[in-house]
Amino acid sequence: AQSVTQLGSHVSVSEGALVLLRCNYSSSVPPYLFWYVQYPNQGLQLLLKYTSAATLVKGINGFEAEFKKSETSFHLTKPSAHMSDAAEYFCAVSEGKYGNKLVFGAGTILRVKS
Amino acid sequence: DAGVIQSPRHEVTEMGQEVTLRCKPISGHNSLFWYRQTMMRGLELLIYFNNNVPIDDSGMPEDRFSAKMPNASFSTLKIQPSEPRDSAVYFCASSLRASRRGDDTEAFFGQGTRLTVV
């Protein structure tokens, strides 16, 4: 079965600093990978997805992620953190007979300090 | 489109009572997912449907949980009888599963139902 591991349940950065949220996956087939963001008391919103096209994927709100097969990683980055980026971020991999069943990591809470 | 609509947003019930959570997926989507989110276990997939048919219910915790999708625009998740350990946020999500993998759209999530069983 496919799985994802998010390193660090909490990450704290200063406003304007680089954001790096780590995700490693395990998959026996070419994976489709996703990053979702969850704001307090909200549902999950898609940030970006990798579906075997370009390895560097750009998403909303200035986020991007790079698929590295050799490292089985799909880390999320943003050059300059904004206060509004404070939220919980989830990495996910798709699996299942129909390929659209998502398996989520444990999540990383991002705190942005002023 | 209004997105995935879940009701109620909050539910407080007493242990032993029946609880029914409702979901209206995005029109045209043919896949529907029920997730449960807790601090201890994170986001767990409970069950998912394709074209109203349950495909994988291996995440349903026990027989007290049941889910139905009588038509393409409505699904329910029922817990009977409810227990305090069922307290969680339950999310419904929908997506469009294309005929070829990779052409699927992403999953769109509802706002969730926060269930508290006392």
Side-chain angles (χ1 to χ4, degrees):
Chain A
Q2 291 154 304
S3 65
V4 291
T5 302
Q6 292 184 240
L7 301 176
S9 59
H10 291 78
V11 170
S12 183
V13 302
S14 297
E15 191 173 20
L18 171 71
V19 175
L20 171 60
L21 305 182
R22 300 177 187 274
C23 172
N24 288 88
Y25 69 90
S26 171
S27 175
S28 59
V29 297
Y32 291 164
L33 296 158
F34 306 79
W35 276 100
Y36 279 82
V37 61
Q38 184 181 29
Y39 299 101
N41 300 314
Q42 299 289 317
L44 280 72
Q45 178 185 3
L46 182 72
L47 275 178
L48 49 82
K49 63 180 178 181
Y50 167 77
T51 58
S52 75
T55 56
L56 182 62
V57 181
K58 293 186 183 299
I60 62 172
N61 301 338
F63 284 93
E64 62 182 36
E66 185 172 10
F67 172 72
K68 291 187 177 180
K69 183 178 180 180
S70 62
E71 299 178 6
T72 61
S73 69
F74 190 58
H75 301 332
L76 182 70
T77 60
K78 182 174 180 177
S80 177
H82 192 271
M83 297 296 289
S84 60
D85 295 327
E88 188 163 15
Y89 294 78
F90 293 90
C91 184
V93 62
S94 67
E95 66 169 31
K97 177 180 177 181
Y98 294 96
N100 62 344
K101 167 186 167 183
L102 290 175
V103 175
F104 286 90
T108 298
I109 295 174
L110 175 65
R111 179 187 170 214
V112 181
K113 299 175 291 185
S114 59
Chain B
D1 198 312
V4 176
I5 299 173
Q6 293 185 247
S7 64
R9 288 295 310 275
H10 301 273
E11 177 80 37
V12 180
T13 191
E14 291 186 346
M15 182 175 62
Q17 296 298 306
E18 176 181 297
V19 175
T20 300
L21 310 181
R22 297 173 175 79
C23 175
K24 176 178 167 53
I26 292 173
S27 177
H29 282 187
N30 55 5
S31 293
L32 184 139
F33 310 83
W34 282 102
Y35 285 88
R36 178 172 68 177
Q37 185 177 37
T38 61
M39 289 290 291
M40 292 297 294
R41 301 175 68 92
L43 270 165
E44 304 172 276
L45 178 65
L46 300 177
I47 185 171
Y48 80 99
F49 297 83
N50 276 332
N51 296 318
N52 312 337
V53 176
I55 301 301
D56 183 352
D57 64 355
S58 60
M60 295 287 262
E62 46 197 277
D63 292 345
R64 296 184 298 105
F65 285 70
S66 62
K68 293 182 179 179
M69 191 164 186
N71 57 62
S73 58
F74 184 65
S75 177
T76 59
L77 178 67
K78 183 179 295 185
I79 308 172
Q80 166 64 19
S82 58
E83 296 182 3
R85 61 193 168 117
D86 301 331
S87 298
V89 180
Y90 291 82
F91 287 104
C92 176
S94 72
S95 71
L96 177 63
R97 185 187 75 78
S99 58
R100 183 177 66 181
R101 188 167 183 257
D103 292 341
D104 306 328
T105 65
E106 65 269 21
F108 291 81
F109 282 74
Q111 301 278 2
T113 294
R114 182 175 297 278
L115 174 64
T116 304
V117 183
V118 298

